[in-house]
Amino acid sequence: MKTRIIWTDIWDDEFFCELDRQSQLLFLYLISNPKLNISGLYKLSDKLITFHTNLEGKELISAKKTLEPKVYFKD
């Protein structure tokens, strides 16, 4: 099993604190999911994101748009 370290200071980070609940969940998922590799580039379907996070439809679309300044999504 891969291990990821998430610094506890994330909860004090200005960008993270200004996110809504769905965007925080998506961000944490993106930095800790099993597909993540050293390059930070990986293929991840919306179906898999929905399965792991229960974010679907408008919630997922909205969370992705909120993260776009920091995260690049490509269809």
Side-chain angles (χ1 to χ4, degrees):
M1 177 176 2
K2 293 180 186 178
T3 301
R4 302 274 183 254
I5 295 173
I6 300 173
W7 299 104
T8 56
D9 287 348
I10 195 169
W11 299 103
D12 294 325
D13 181 80
E14 185 177 338
F15 170 77
F16 189 79
C17 288
E18 291 177 0
L19 296 174
D20 58 32
R21 183 184 58 81
Q22 291 87 357
S23 299
Q24 286 180 339
L25 174 61
L26 180 58
F27 186 79
L28 288 172
Y29 176 69
L30 292 173
I31 65 172
S32 64
N33 75 76
K35 299 276 188 187
L36 183 63
N37 59 42
I38 192 115
S39 74
L41 301 173
Y42 51 94
K43 186 176 183 177
L44 192 61
S45 70
D46 285 353
K47 186 176 180 178
L48 190 58
I49 295 171
T50 296
F51 177 75
H52 286 144
T53 64
N54 289 322
L55 294 174
E56 44 186 69
K58 292 180 183 178
E59 284 182 326
L60 181 55
I61 292 167
S62 176
K64 281 180 157 185
K65 284 183 181 178
T66 303
L67 295 179
E68 280 181 352
K70 300 279 185 181
V71 179
Y72 178 72
F73 296 98
K74 184 174 185 320
D75 289 331

